[in-house]
Amino acid sequence: MFFLSDMLNKKLNLPKPAEALPGRAKPIPTASKHFVSKRPLNGPYPEGLETAMFGLGCFWGAERLFWQLEGVWVTAVGFAGGVTPNPTYQETCTGLTGHAEVVLVVYDPKIVSYGELLKLFWESHDPTQGMRQGNDVGTTYRSAIYTFGDAQYQAAIASRDAYEASLRGAGRGKITTEIAPAPEFYFAEEDHQQYLAKNPYGYCNLQGTGVACAIPAAVSA
């Protein structure tokens, strides 16, 4: 019983640097191309495209949401926001790397705005659950927006405040989403890239709150 409670406690609390797994110096192998679009997963990306990064629970279903959106050029799943360099999927599952499961989204701002990506993010999961998403419990499943540049950061904060007001009106709790400048992104193994395209009946636990997200006009551009 002590062992189980100790493990659960580790998964619900981010590890201190001294507690984190050591990782490795070199990136782990991953796919070179997107399974659906056949575009290069790790670039080079065409000029004029922008990058976003979101964590909203298990990254299998989260990635599918974004690759299906018009204007998204390519997506990839991986890990960010932790301590361990170049972690494996199994290592992140222990809760001892500190990373969240995230989706890297490369998009054309002429077709889809960052505000539209934020709307999809907020409405597709429950951002009030802390270190979990539904039945998926642990730090890896926390809600997170990692931003590229001040404009994205300000947009993420404004959208959070607006959505929190809507959630409060619907009797929901406080948003626990982590919003921070984008840390290093580590690609997950090839098996996890575009997982639900390879396994159409695979696991997806994503559930929104049913509360619509009205993105402020200053953000939606």
Side-chain angles (χ1 to χ4, degrees):
M1 180 66 75
F2 173 77
F3 174 76
L4 288 175
S5 63
D6 190 49
M7 284 299 294
L8 184 60
N9 185 56
K10 278 190 170 65
K11 286 173 71 73
L12 292 176
N13 292 283
L14 291 170
K16 297 182 177 71
E19 300 170 335
L21 297 176
R24 55 203 49 78
K26 292 185 178 180
I28 58 173
T30 190
S32 59
K33 293 184 178 179
H34 194 280
F35 183 79
V36 178
S37 69
K38 311 306 179 189
R39 291 168 175 164
L41 214 61
N42 192 19
Y45 308 129
E47 214 173 309
L49 301 190
E50 296 182 7
T51 304
M53 196 189 301
F54 303 101
L56 52 158
C58 175
F59 54 21
W60 293 341
E63 185 188 17
R64 181 171 61 181
L65 285 173
F66 288 101
W67 89 55
Q68 292 178 337
L69 191 64
E70 185 181 1
V72 169
W73 196 80
V74 78
T75 58
V77 295
F79 315 106
V83 179
T84 301
N86 299 299
T88 66
Y89 177 76
Q90 292 300 327
E91 287 171 343
T92 63
C93 287
T94 66
L96 293 175
T97 74
H99 294 290
E101 292 191 9
V102 297
V103 182
L104 186 73
V105 181
V106 180
Y107 67 101
D108 186 342
K110 297 186 185 70
I111 300 173
V112 62
S113 70
Y114 187 61
E116 290 172 290
L117 299 182
L118 287 169
K119 180 177 174 64
L120 181 62
F121 165 80
W122 291 120
E123 292 183 348
S124 299
H125 74 303
D126 184 346
T128 69
Q129 294 194 327
M131 299 298 186
R132 66 179 297 171
Q133 198 58 218
N135 292 327
D136 292 331
V137 179
T139 55
T140 51
Y141 303 114
R142 67 189 186 270
S143 176
I145 304 173
Y146 295 126
T147 59
F148 296 83
D150 188 60
Q152 280 195 7
Y153 182 80
Q154 296 303 330
I157 294 292
S159 70
R160 178 200 64 191
D161 293 347
Y163 196 46
E164 192 162 70
S166 298
L167 289 174
R168 197 161 50 242
R172 294 274 180 167
K174 186 176 177 62
I175 285 178
T176 59
T177 302
E178 175 187 1
I179 300 177
E184 187 160 1
F185 172 82
Y186 298 105
F187 285 88
E189 296 90 335
E190 182 171 1
D191 288 354
H192 297 286
Q193 303 297 340
Q194 301 83 58
Y195 181 87
L196 291 183
K198 302 169 187 172
N199 303 277
Y201 301 104
Y203 174 79
C204 178
N205 188 44
L206 276 182
Q207 291 184 29
T209 61
V211 177
C213 176
I215 296 294
V219 173
S220 58

